[in-house]
Amino acid sequence: MNMLWMILFMLIAFWAMSALVRRQQQKMLAEQARRTEEALVPGTWVRTSAGFYGTVVEVDGDVVTLATPLGEESLWGKRFIVGAEEPPFASTHEEEPDQEVEDVEAVEDVEDEAEDVKDVGAEDADEPVEAADDEQSGA
């Protein structure tokens, strides 16, 4: 009988935990839907579930008209709008100075390695050449 009560208690505890998690998920989804609905204002950048970025031109019921940066318009269902999000355009102006510094350092490292190889090659070049000459003259 004790075992039956323990199993029943565990089932109720699992059900309660699952209900709590489900309620939290519903609240999060409702909050996301509210934020997305508020973001559907003309001129706002949005991202679709397909990864398309566009600015809202018009909202008509469940249909949202999005425009590309070139001005081309396309129609999307509201449920496919994930949320308001700026497109991740690359900022090449900020990255160029860092890249130049890295390139200069890489070139300097290669030049240093080349000088080291020349120094080692000059020291060792005399000995193997003489040894090779001795072997050829003896043969």
Side-chain angles (χ1 to χ4, degrees):
M1 188 71 175
N2 242 353
M3 185 95 137
L4 182 61
W5 284 109
M6 190 161 61
I7 291 173
L8 185 61
F9 175 75
M10 288 175 56
L11 287 174
I12 292 172
F14 284 135
W15 177 82
M17 287 189 309
S18 125
L20 180 66
V21 168
R22 200 173 327 117
R23 184 174 295 138
Q24 288 175 346
Q25 286 177 342
Q26 288 174 348
K27 285 181 183 179
M28 286 176 29
L29 287 174
E31 176 65 20
Q32 182 181 5
R34 184 189 62 76
R35 282 186 281 153
T36 301
E37 188 68 32
E38 287 176 358
L40 293 178
V41 178
T44 305
W45 280 99
V46 293
R47 181 174 62 92
T48 67
S49 58
F52 176 79
Y53 289 91
T55 54
V56 177
V57 175
E58 180 184 16
V59 178
D60 185 20
D62 286 339
V63 177
V64 180
T65 305
L66 299 180
T68 66
L70 299 176
E72 299 171 358
E73 295 182 355
S74 60
L75 302 175
W76 293 81
K78 262 189 188 178
R79 66 178 184 214
F80 296 108
I81 306 295
V82 175
E85 186 176 327
E86 291 285 326
F89 292 130
S91 177
T92 57
H93 179 46
E94 294 175 6
E95 295 176 10
E96 286 179 4
D98 294 339
Q99 185 64 32
E100 288 176 10
V101 170
E102 290 175 7
D103 290 344
V104 168
E105 289 175 356
V107 169
E108 289 174 353
D109 290 342
V110 169
E111 288 174 351
D112 290 342
E113 290 176 9
E115 288 176 12
D116 291 343
V117 169
K118 286 180 184 176
D119 292 341
V120 170
E123 292 172 2
D124 296 338
D126 294 335
E127 296 173 12
V129 170
E130 292 173 7
D133 289 340
D134 291 341
E135 289 176 8
Q136 288 178 354
S137 60

